[in-house]
Amino acid sequence: MAEPDRPPPSTTLRDSFLLLAVGLAALLPGLWQNHEWASGESLHAEIGREMAVRGDWIVPTRLGGPWVDEPPTVHVPIAALIRWTGSRSMFVARLPSLAAGLAGVLATFSIGLLLFDRRVAWMGALVLLTFPAYANTARAVRPDLAVGALVFLSSASVGWGMARRNPAARLALFVAGGITAGMATLAKGPTALAFPLAVVALVPVGRPGFVRPRWFEVPVLVVALAAGIATWTVPAWTRDGGVYVREVLGPAAPRVGTEGRPLHEQVERLLLGHLPLSIFLPLAIGRWSRHGFSAALAICGAGLLLALALPGKPFLLAASPFLALAIAEAVLAPDLPFPWLATFARRLVPLTIFGSIVYFTAVLAFVRPEGDPDFVFAAKSMERVGPETAVVCVSRRGEDFAWVAGRVEGIYEVYNCDDAARLVTELGPGTCFVATVQDRDAIAERLGGRRLEILLEYEAGDRSWFLCRPHPMAE
């Protein structure tokens, strides 16, 4: 059984360092900015900050209460970096996503070497950096790419394990693949296994040098998978006998964005999030129709179908490396029907990467010179109220204010005007609240018509928000 041809280790190491340099150049400029916060950034940054303050690496909290939507996949490294650097900044909070993004680039290169050759592997890794859905997630404080990197590394590990002849090397790679898949499963559920399973099923097709896990290797994979799941569940279980673990992983546990979408909507989201290079996907499909089986395209399609079929929210980002490699294989094919398309694609890749660098270094600061509206409003509000004042957020998430102020004490969230008026009254004089104009007037009415002092009015998003404080005397 022959192993796949691959460049010498020294060449692969040099390529890896060069890819890391390109990845850093493409992604790093987006880490320093506060001009544009991605959805959910302040949420996950604040969870990490609270873990750092408490020194608790097992149970994440949000505004002091347990966070049960998912295990702390990305929050633990955020907390560790905040404690290590002593800095509460979006740059520090975004570093784990950057590291996951770079790991994904290297995993794509590795999978490219496994399935194709050095040239296609290089192009696939670069195409990956052009995908907005991937690159923007690598610049944001979100758990998606941390989980994605685990899926990519698992796929690469089991793929290379099937290519090895040495039994010890095979087992070591299967163990690595199982552990990383188990850790990804913690956050995404069984849907995280879709692409590693597709790799096991489809990589050996037409490749006699690849051998799927043998009967005695399958238990090793299963035990490794269980070990990956145990990395968090065991220490969390010992805290309270499994109460918190059941809340997070149980069937009734809340999940953000779990609404079902039809297959065509899922595919549409995938393609739109991977523009402009996804316009070359028809070339990959056409190449398959002319030459037969394409491993990268087959894994991409099968993985998506499995992800939609398995329980949990479909994890579309996991398809990115395989989509990138399928496009790279197509545009580098020597028999491309339209050679000018290949030239266009090869030029579009560096232009897209360079364009993202220009956007984050120059354009964004020009378009939003003040900064992200949510960030600016929270920062100005906390400057007005001072470090000890209680702030009640009405129908607005409080993590923006907690992150900017560096405290959860005195930050409250309510979702109706009755609760807001009651809480403002209970907290006493000086308490401020944040609300829209409609909620502001409704709360004033519930406070007995007391006059409100408007401390700040700001346009954040598509609404005007007010920072108010009831006047101590009734009119």
Side-chain angles (χ1 to χ4, degrees):
M1 179 177 67
E3 295 187 3
D5 293 334
R6 58 185 185 274
S10 58
T11 302
T12 303
L13 186 62
R14 183 177 69 248
D15 287 343
S16 298
F17 279 116
L18 287 173
L19 278 171
L20 286 176
V22 174
L24 282 170
L27 302 175
L28 200 56
L31 267 65
W32 274 286
Q33 56 87 20
N34 270 317
H35 299 283
E36 185 176 77
W37 281 4
S39 173
E41 278 205 275
S42 59
L43 166 66
H44 297 291
E46 173 58 18
I47 291 172
R49 187 197 69 81
E50 292 182 32
M51 292 186 77
V53 170
R54 294 181 299 112
D56 187 339
W57 312 105
I58 305 300
V59 178
T61 60
R62 173 185 171 272
L63 300 183
W67 172 254
V68 298
D69 272 32
E70 59 197 334
T73 311
V74 75
H75 309 114
V76 168
I78 291 173
L81 283 170
I82 290 176
R83 283 180 72 95
W84 179 53
T85 62
S87 171
R88 187 185 78 253
S89 70
M90 277 295 180
F91 172 76
V92 170
R94 288 168 177 154
L95 284 175
S97 292
L98 172 68
L102 295 175
V105 170
L106 294 181
T108 302
F109 179 69
S110 177
I111 296 169
L113 292 178
L114 180 74
L115 300 180
F116 305 109
D117 55 28
R118 181 173 172 241
R119 190 162 168 257
V120 174
W122 252 103
M123 178 60 81
L126 294 177
V127 169
L128 183 69
L129 287 170
T130 71
F131 292 158
Y134 185 89
N136 290 339
T137 308
R139 300 183 185 104
V141 191
R142 294 181 61 85
D144 298 332
L145 205 49
V147 179
L150 293 170
V151 173
F152 308 152
L153 293 171
S154 175
S155 300
S157 296
V158 296
W160 280 104
M162 291 188 295
R164 289 291 189 263
R165 290 176 296 179
N166 184 288
R170 285 174 62 88
L171 284 178
L173 286 163
F174 288 153
V175 167
I179 290 175
T180 48
M183 294 172 70
T185 304
L186 274 174
K188 293 294 181 182
T191 187
L193 300 175
F195 284 89
L197 288 173
V199 167
V200 171
L202 296 173
V203 165
V205 174
R207 291 180 169 86
F210 289 78
V211 176
R212 294 186 181 91
R214 302 180 180 95
W215 66 269
F216 58 88
E217 293 169 329
V218 171
V220 174
L221 270 169
V222 173
V223 170
L225 180 72
I229 296 173
T231 55
W232 176 78
T233 53
V234 169
W237 192 282
T238 58
R239 289 284 190 91
D240 55 11
V243 174
Y244 180 71
V245 171
R246 284 192 289 269
E247 283 189 81
V248 176
L249 302 181
R255 290 289 182 271
V256 177
T258 55
E259 65 276 9
R261 286 190 173 94
L263 176 60
H264 68 88
E265 285 190 22
Q266 301 283 3
V267 174
E268 181 181 329
R269 289 179 63 209
L270 176 71
L271 295 178
L272 289 176
H274 292 71
L275 287 172
L277 269 295
S278 61
I279 62 174
F280 297 105
L281 183 59
L283 295 180
I285 298 171
R287 178 172 171 76
W288 188 344
S289 66
R290 294 192 309 273
H291 297 281
F293 183 77
S294 168
L297 191 58
I299 293 169
C300 183
L304 285 172
L305 291 175
L306 270 174
L308 292 167
L310 290 169
K313 181 184 178 183
F315 189 33
L316 302 183
L317 193 66
S320 297
F322 303 99
L323 182 60
L325 288 168
I327 292 171
E329 179 193 20
V331 299
L332 292 177
D335 59 344
L336 198 64
F338 307 102
W340 62 270
L341 276 177
T343 303
F344 176 57
R346 293 166 196 163
R347 291 177 180 173
L348 186 59
V349 169
L351 284 175
T352 304
I353 294 174
F354 181 71
S356 70
I357 297 172
V358 172
Y359 175 76
F360 283 102
T361 55
V363 176
L364 190 55
F366 177 78
V367 173
R368 284 184 171 175
E370 267 199 329
D372 180 87
D374 290 329
F375 165 72
V376 174
F377 179 54
K380 288 186 175 183
S381 295
M382 299 316 289
E383 285 176 7
R384 298 287 176 90
V385 304
E388 304 295 333
T389 304
V391 177
V392 178
C393 302
V394 185
S395 300
R396 184 182 176 93
R397 299 176 76 92
E399 57 265 8
D400 293 351
F401 302 88
W403 170 256
V404 168
R407 64 179 170 97
V408 297
E409 297 79 9
I411 307 293
Y412 301 90
E413 269 186 5
V414 294
Y415 291 94
N416 62 71
C417 296
D418 291 329
D419 288 343
R422 176 186 54 77
L423 190 55
V424 168
T425 302
E426 289 177 359
L427 293 171
T431 300
C432 299
F433 66 89
V434 174
T436 62
V437 63
Q438 294 86 356
D439 288 342
R440 179 199 68 187
D441 295 341
I443 292 168
E445 182 181 345
R446 286 163 174 77
L447 289 173
R450 292 170 62 183
R451 183 166 60 87
L452 298 178
E453 180 183 0
I454 309 298
L455 301 177
L456 180 65
E457 178 183 357
Y458 197 80
E459 291 283 342
D462 57 351
R463 290 189 286 183
S464 293
W465 290 90
F466 295 84
L467 174 68
C468 309
R469 178 167 54 206
H471 195 275
M473 300 295 295
E475 290 185 337

